[in-house]
Amino acid sequence: MKRIRLGLLLAVVTMCLSTACGSPTGNLPAFSTAGAPLPAGQTKAQPAPERTTLTSAISAGSVCALVTLAEVSAAAAVPMKVTADGGPIGECIYSATADASFVMYVSVDKSSVDIEQRKQQLESLSEHVAGLGDDAFWNATIGEIFIQQGASALIIILPSLANLTNKPDANKQKLITLAKQALARL
């Protein structure tokens, strides 16, 4: 699953570089499903209540409990909310409160095979970061900070075209700060 998500992210970045990102304004078209018909037999569900703080709605020991919404929002530079809680060995997905397509992933991986595979795939394309865990690196292209600490890895990804066009060093520092906060609770 992680390999598929990484492959999908890289495909999106590659597609963007060859299309809309090359436009003078860099604007991407907006898509909306508002008013789209629902499949037969389906009714419109009531929206789930927004989580604005880490509460008991987040499962005990969850990856989501490693960082607060205030910390995630500071790293993303926009107000964020929890959109998916993958539990203690999983992934917490955040999205911007004003734009659900702006996401951040925080995950913990305890599989030595997955950790080594991820390092082999990305490490040579990334910049090492001193002072975080046993091994850490930053990949500006996909907006990922990877920290290996013992038999676990903390992975924070802010996939954004801003990583390519904006100020990747500023994004890097924000995610390093978030990683330090999460490591203190890991």
Side-chain angles (χ1 to χ4, degrees):
M1 179 67 142
K2 293 175 186 172
R3 192 181 304 172
I4 291 170
R5 186 176 62 235
L6 178 60
L8 180 60
L9 177 61
L10 292 174
V12 169
V13 169
T14 303
M15 181 182 70
C16 178
L17 289 174
S18 64
T19 59
C21 293
S23 72
T25 62
N27 291 333
L28 296 174
F31 295 97
S32 173
T33 58
L38 293 172
Q42 242 184 6
T43 60
K44 187 172 181 178
Q46 293 298 319
E50 272 189 39
R51 296 185 205 169
T52 55
T53 60
L54 291 174
T55 66
S56 60
I58 293 175
S59 63
S62 169
V63 171
C64 294
L66 292 177
V67 290
T68 67
L69 283 175
E71 292 165 344
V72 170
S73 296
V78 296
M80 301 289 278
K81 64 183 178 183
V82 175
T83 56
D85 178 358
I89 302 178
E91 181 172 65
C92 188
I93 303 173
Y94 299 89
S95 67
T97 57
D99 178 4
S101 69
F102 184 88
V103 295
M104 180 184 292
Y105 304 94
V106 176
S107 62
V108 172
D109 195 339
K110 294 190 179 225
S111 164
S112 60
V113 172
D114 287 348
I115 292 168
E116 284 306 312
Q117 190 173 45
R118 185 175 208 95
K119 286 173 69 172
Q120 288 174 1
Q121 291 173 343
L122 291 176
E123 191 169 18
S124 65
L125 304 171
S126 303
E127 171 190 338
H128 276 271
V129 179
L132 284 177
D134 300 328
D135 193 13
F137 59 88
W138 161 252
N139 185 294
T141 304
I142 59 174
E144 176 178 334
I145 185 82
F146 170 94
I147 302 102
Q148 182 176 1
Q149 184 162 312
S152 299
L154 172 66
I155 303 152
I156 302 174
I157 305 173
L158 180 62
S160 171
L161 298 175
N163 293 324
L164 299 173
T165 60
N166 195 2
K167 297 177 181 168
D169 286 337
N171 294 342
K172 172 182 148 186
Q173 290 308 315
K174 289 176 186 176
L175 290 186
I176 287 172
T177 298
L178 184 63
K180 287 178 181 179
Q181 293 162 331
L183 282 173
R185 298 178 185 114
L186 187 59

